[in-house]
Amino acid sequence: MPLSSDSPTSGFVAFVGAGPGDPNLLTLRAAELLGKADAVVLDDETQTPLLRHCREGVEVAERDFVKRAARGQLVVRLCAGDPMLFSSITEEVAACAAAEVDFEIVPGVPPATAVLTYAGIPPASAVPEFRVVDAAQEQDWAAHAACRGTLVVYNGIGDAVPIGKALIAGGKPDTTPVAVSSGGTTTEQYTVVSTLGRLQADLKHAGFTEPALIVVGEAVGLRDKLSWFETKPLFGWRVLVPRTKEQSRSLSEQLVAYGAVPEEVPTISVEPPRTPQQMDRAIKGLVTGRYEWVAFTSANAVKAVREKFEEYGLDARAFAGLKVAAVGDATARALVEFGVKPDLLPSGEQSSEGLVAEWPPYDSMLDPINRVLLPRADISTDTLVAGLTELGWECDDVTAYRTVRAAPPPAPIREAIKGGGFDAVLFTSSSTVRNLVGIAGKPHNVTVIAVIGPQTAKTAEEFGLRVDVMADTPSATALAAAVAEFGAKQRQAALAAGDHPRRPSQNRRGARRRVK
């Protein structure tokens, strides 16, 4: 029987549409139910990312959901696409009804519309007819040939050529545009555009597997103008981000926006200093007025000071009367989150050199104190200290945290790095170069090497790496943008040459080739 309450006190089963593939296309109701679930039943492993909506400790169950619900559990049964569209849940729903277990059916975004939209094909364009058929069931293709609008075929990839011939035999012109798309709405989406008459030749080496959709109709011709997903500059690129988890989050989000699949591999582990007394004295001096300035050269330094503040029961108000400098945007954001607005930020190069270039010289008439606190990593360079000293300032260079080499990544990651499984690797410092090579080996020569600045480029070259991309300004944001520009130029060059754009990893020996 259907569920009558939004907040049931007894167990029930929710048949939830998981959508077409992109985990971000989940409905709000689906996310709400996943968040309350005691157990989740998956259709397949591709739905695993949706478990991020669940409570910690949720059980991934087998298909014994009726018994679980009868015991009082809330069970979410995830169904691909929309549960009521070409789905086999009818018997499962009937089993719930027979056992007098409450149930709810939550619609999902169907592939029939979502995959087409991601492929740049409007489901219904000039002719307002949209027909969806399941090739797994017996079909009268001659009747479907009369469809004047867009015809979408589920479960037909294995019989795509016979279906095309049957549609032609039913009266469809052999020049009718056709698109075949697999991996829909994910970064594995791959679409081939053809016509009914050329379908056999164009699909010969495409290597399509289910799930895939066949789209027939004039709307396919609009793909060149409306394609937005598969044309992203880094679409499908597997990009290695060798940083700490805290540092890589915003960079990974930016890469996803460009269509990439970021893989975060920590190469540096941030640990407290071996002797904390130095930081203890620095925090005491900061509170008692020993310093005129505090200069932060990383978000990790901000975090280290913040943790010390919390240890002593202090907050951002302790910075009252102090001038605060930040080496770059990421450090400035960390300070703002702490409640501190930086007084000085480089307007040009975001580096120690850029900060020194903006720093005012010490003036005994204007500055009552000539001392600067520099809470930094144990491996920091002397550039900032030397520059400030030359400007007349005295510096307390304090080790706020240590950076040590992280543990090696899992074997599959190491093999992908050395074997060309990554399309690009983004190096944000010389230490990330040294540490990645140390824990995982050198990236394959087909992998695009991108670096944040000249010093990192020099280190990469010292390790025998060919530098392909360098950021215009030394920031992670600029680095990601530079890689996206590089990818866009490669894509445009391939299209201009009449080729299908290929990712760098597809150029290595033994990589699977797809033809246009």
Side-chain angles (χ1 to χ4, degrees):
M1 55 187 161
L3 185 68
S4 57
S5 171
D6 287 339
S7 303
T9 56
S10 58
F12 79 106
V13 178
F15 296 91
V16 170
D22 183 346
N24 293 315
L25 294 181
L26 199 69
T27 66
L28 291 174
R29 179 58 175 163
E32 178 188 5
L33 288 169
L34 283 169
K36 297 176 179 178
D38 298 304
V40 178
V41 178
L42 305 178
D43 247 357
D44 55 60
E45 290 185 357
T46 63
Q47 295 170 348
T48 301
L50 298 180
L51 296 177
R52 71 173 187 258
H53 298 285
C54 298
R55 295 177 297 179
E56 186 175 348
V58 70
E59 186 176 358
V60 179
E62 301 297 326
R63 295 176 184 263
D64 56 348
F65 46 83
V66 176
K67 292 180 180 179
R68 289 175 174 274
R71 295 198 302 265
Q73 287 192 343
L74 191 165
V75 184
V76 170
R77 157 76 160 98
L78 287 173
C79 310
D82 187 310
M84 299 296 278
L85 183 62
F86 302 144
S87 174
S88 59
I89 68 163
T90 307
E91 293 181 2
E92 297 176 6
V93 173
C96 289
E100 297 186 345
V101 167
D102 286 339
F103 64 89
E104 175 179 349
I105 303 175
V106 180
V109 178
T113 53
V115 175
L116 271 64
T117 299
Y118 272 53
I121 302 170
S125 54
V127 179
E129 182 179 4
F130 181 62
R131 188 179 301 187
V132 184
V133 298
D134 184 3
Q137 304 176 34
E138 188 174 346
Q139 297 290 342
D140 179 0
W141 295 109
H144 294 313
C147 176
R148 296 184 304 132
T150 303
L151 174 66
V152 177
V153 182
Y154 274 55
N155 300 314
I157 192 63
D159 296 315
V161 173
I163 289 172
K165 290 180 178 178
L167 290 172
I168 294 173
K172 208 79 167 168
D174 62 2
T175 56
T176 302
V178 180
V180 180
S181 191
S182 68
T185 74
T186 75
T187 50
E188 294 297 317
Q189 180 157 336
Y190 176 63
T191 305
V192 167
V193 174
S194 181
T195 62
L196 288 177
R198 285 194 48 82
L199 201 54
Q200 183 169 6
D202 288 342
L203 294 186
K204 188 175 182 180
H205 300 291
F208 282 112
T209 58
E210 296 287 3
L213 293 183
I214 302 170
V215 188
V216 182
E218 297 302 325
V220 172
L222 296 173
R223 172 175 158 82
D224 287 343
K225 295 180 180 179
L226 301 180
S227 182
W228 64 274
F229 184 58
E230 294 174 60
T231 54
K232 288 188 174 186
L234 298 178
F235 180 76
W237 281 41
R238 188 182 180 194
V239 179
L240 180 65
V241 184
R243 309 182 77 191
T244 64
K245 285 288 185 183
E246 293 79 6
Q247 292 173 316
S248 60
R249 188 175 297 114
S250 60
L251 177 56
S252 292
E253 289 172 357
Q254 187 179 356
L255 290 169
V256 168
Y258 292 135
V261 183
E263 187 96 42
E264 298 172 358
V265 177
T267 58
I268 297 172
S269 177
V270 176
E271 298 183 2
R274 287 194 175 91
T275 54
Q277 293 83 358
Q278 190 182 33
M279 267 290 280
D280 292 336
R281 288 194 296 271
I283 298 300
K284 182 179 179 181
L286 187 151
V287 174
T288 57
R290 176 178 171 81
Y291 303 107
E292 180 78 8
W293 281 90
V294 183
F296 290 97
T297 56
S298 71
N300 282 325
V302 177
K303 181 183 178 185
V305 170
R306 186 171 185 171
E307 288 175 349
K308 273 294 179 184
F309 269 39
E310 291 170 354
E311 184 180 324
Y312 286 113
L314 301 170
D315 57 29
R317 287 174 293 184
F319 283 94
L322 279 164
K323 297 173 187 174
V324 179
V327 76
D329 294 332
T331 305
R333 282 194 297 270
L335 281 166
V336 171
E337 288 174 6
F338 186 17
V340 179
K341 184 179 179 181
D343 300 284
L344 182 64
L345 189 68
S347 57
E349 181 180 332
Q350 297 190 347
S351 64
S352 294
E353 291 85 349
L355 191 57
V356 169
E358 305 270 347
W359 202 287
Y362 171 69
D363 187 330
S364 59
M365 299 294 292
L366 300 175
D367 303 306
I369 306 166
N370 76 329
R371 192 170 293 275
V372 179
L373 173 62
L374 299 177
R376 303 195 295 166
D378 58 331
I379 59 171
S380 298
T381 64
D382 295 331
T383 304
L384 186 55
V385 173
L388 294 181
T389 301
E390 192 171 328
L391 290 170
W393 296 94
E394 292 186 17
C395 299
D396 281 0
D397 193 3
V398 175
T399 299
Y401 61 95
R402 291 183 299 123
T403 54
V404 299
R405 182 178 291 178
I413 299 293
R414 298 198 303 271
E415 292 165 7
I417 291 171
K418 291 183 285 190
F422 284 100
D423 297 289
V425 55
L426 275 57
F427 289 117
T428 54
S429 66
S430 292
S431 61
T432 57
V433 178
R434 290 190 292 267
N435 290 340
L436 181 71
V437 174
I439 66 176
K442 288 172 56 175
H444 193 279
N445 60 12
V446 300
T447 305
V448 173
I449 305 298
V451 299
I452 201 166
Q455 185 58 50
T456 307
K458 181 181 178 182
T459 304
E461 289 164 355
E462 288 172 354
F463 278 88
L465 299 177
R466 176 203 67 250
V467 174
D468 302 292
V469 179
M470 186 164 66
D472 293 335
T473 58
S475 73
T477 299
L479 179 57
V483 176
E485 183 180 358
F486 179 88
K489 287 180 179 178
Q490 284 206 328
R491 175 182 175 80
Q492 291 163 3
L495 293 174
D499 297 329
H500 190 80
R502 293 167 56 79
R503 300 190 300 273
S505 62
Q506 293 174 315
N507 294 323
R508 70 190 192 279
R509 182 178 298 176
R512 177 176 163 187
R513 289 182 174 268
R514 274 176 162 166
V515 296
K516 185 176 180 181

